[in-house]
Amino acid sequence: MCGIFAYLNYHVPRTRREILEILLKGLHRLEYRGYDSAGVGIDGGNGKDWESNAKSIQLIKQRGKVKALDEEIDKQQDIDMDVEFDVHLGIAHTRWATHGAPSPVNSHPHRSDKSNEFIVIHNGIITNYKDLRKFLESKGYDFESETDTETIAKLVKYMFDNRENNDISFATLVEQVTQLLEGSFALVFKSVHYPGEAVGTRRGSPLLMGVRSDHKLSSDHIPVLYRSTSKDKKGCSALPRMDQDTCLFPVDEKAVEYYFASDASAVIEHTNRVIFLEDDDVAAVVEGRLSIHRIKRTAGDYPARVIQTLQMELQQIMKGNFSSFMQKEIFEQPESVVNTMRGRINFDDNIVILGGLKDHIKEIQRCRRLILIACGTSYHAGVATRQVLEELTELPVMVELSSDFLDRNTPVFRDDVCFFISQSGETADSLMALRYCKERGALTVGVTNTVGSSISRETDCGVHINAGPEIGVASTKAYTSQFVALIMFALLMCDDRISVQPRRREIIQGLRVLPDLIKEVLSLDDEIQSLATELYKQKSVLIMGRGYHYATCLEGALKIKEITYMHSEGILAGELKHGPLALVDKLMPVIMIIMRDNTYIKCQNALQQIVARQGRPIVICDKDDYETAKNSSRTIKVPHCVDCLQGVLSVIPLQLLSFHLAVLRGYDVDCPRNLAKSVTVE
């Protein structure tokens, strides 16, 4: 979804050109989230004094890519690029249109009035914006865009115009505004009335802060400050004191730089020291000091926010020698699967250890039902592993789409264990489902790829899949790592059941050789590219399988839909005669997945039915399966593995096929139209 990036330099002299380069580079790092327009807000003056320069704000916004914004910045005649700022706050944004079409006027930052007194960038959706807009219009505020965000900018101006005293702080102003907002948001504010100050806040959408200084910081954690209930003489709630015990700053008031961002990929090249903000935190930087405020104290609140050190490396978010992030991530799967298992499986002793679950595993083993809740590709990872989870745990396993789970008000009980699977850990529907399940007393488990994400923080326990940053919108390596993580959970659940030990050992040894088998499948890339040249002009493709491979069909079809814009459908082969067979003729491309497992004979029957209707199926099969090859127009032969792990190997040809189809059709593989990487709104 939308990407937020802001940069504040305090006693670190930067020219306007350097500041804009930092802002644009931050936006480039957030491009993978999906967007259709971009904008920046900077100080507008051209004098030598930064404070007088900060008394005006310049907005530059453009539809299209960040490159188009860069070109628009170069056209600006009234700003001197070589002016140096000792203190400056610049804010930048990539917008994914929800309210109003992509256009400069609908792009962020949004402004409070024509003189840009307050500007704001926003990720999320304000659900009560129509009521707020109606109220503000009745007070004489004029709106210029169709967005919900402009309401926030006008509202902060209204609060400032009607302030009870002139000493009101920027943080207090933002607190007053957020109390009136409903929905989800991450916000960063800038104002001519508070030069060199930044305020950021979040509720339901991700926001983190990066800190960079060559000098020692006052602390490695920041206490959360609560507004006192007592009133001062002017009738305002008293703010807590601001000193070395309540703020973060460089010792001896030296130089420091702060970054606000939607995710860590935008700040990692500047600093690896970050603070993940919690819902309803208000982070304020005043005179180079960072403080974190909350209005209400609730049970279970952490008393401080800790500065965490990111383990991410810059090269992880670079393409390297690959043409796109998706291609890179497909070819990283041998390593990403190893990283998911690293330190968690002792292959010699057949021991599985998941540290994130160790305090709760006994409780999970006593549960009555497992519910896997997710969206999109993460949902398919749940479908792919449901059968082996049922086999090894002997528990009923439900796999639910988060949105549908909420729509049905699904009954959830205290003896249920609910898994929330999400690459970003910020998926809005899954996050809402998590809160729904917590209210009903269920134990919650997160399976995410993002340290510090909302799901990883709000669940009782969890498994981090360690796949590394995934930039391409179409998920590839996160799917296979989620698959392996859920398999490891199933193995952990049955470690004390004697009857399943032979099967358990077989799966563990299958995991041992899995990375090498993935490399073998990736060596088929040229063959799959050749197949793509035969298919890329088609309008539709059917993908069929059953048993362990039904999820592979769904996931392969989703990949083709996402990045090639071809119609594709994953079909359960057992349902062939109940309707889908009517689609089969000599022109319809059909891909079948047939592996030597307990559904092999039934899949052969389905293959015969397709051939009998003049279908020309392309079959993904075991490399030693000569019988299937005889009845197929074309085969893609993959190595054999344990049946419950074969889905990891059979999905990779479909990932590669979707990639090559998209390239041949001339589409942007990493940023498909209308889609965002992290879906942070419902």
Side-chain angles (χ1 to χ4, degrees), residues 412-441:
V412 174
F413 307 102
R414 293 178 67 84
D415 53 3
D416 289 332
V417 172
C418 301
F419 281 72
F420 299 88
I421 311 167
S422 167
Q423 189 281 137
S424 68
E426 301 290 349
T427 311
D429 287 314
S430 298
L431 204 46
M432 296 290 285
L434 163 58
R435 290 163 185 165
Y436 174 91
C437 293
K438 281 180 79 100
E439 285 169 11
R440 283 151 183 80

Side-chain angles (χ1 to χ4, degrees), residues 209-255:
M209 291 192 67
V211 186
R212 175 180 174 177
S213 179
D214 294 333
H215 309 283
K216 185 173 185 280
L217 294 173
S218 58
S219 175
D220 60 359
H221 66 277
I222 310 163
V224 176
L225 307 178
Y226 292 90
R227 187 169 297 283
S228 125
T229 52
S230 62
K231 301 271 183 122
D232 62 18
K233 291 177 183 174
K234 293 176 181 171
C236 285
S237 298
L239 272 169
R241 72 188 194 285
M242 305 279 279
D243 58 26
Q244 66 267 25
D245 297 322
T246 61
C247 298
L248 179 77
F249 56 91
V251 176
D252 300 329
E253 305 293 319
K254 298 241 176 33

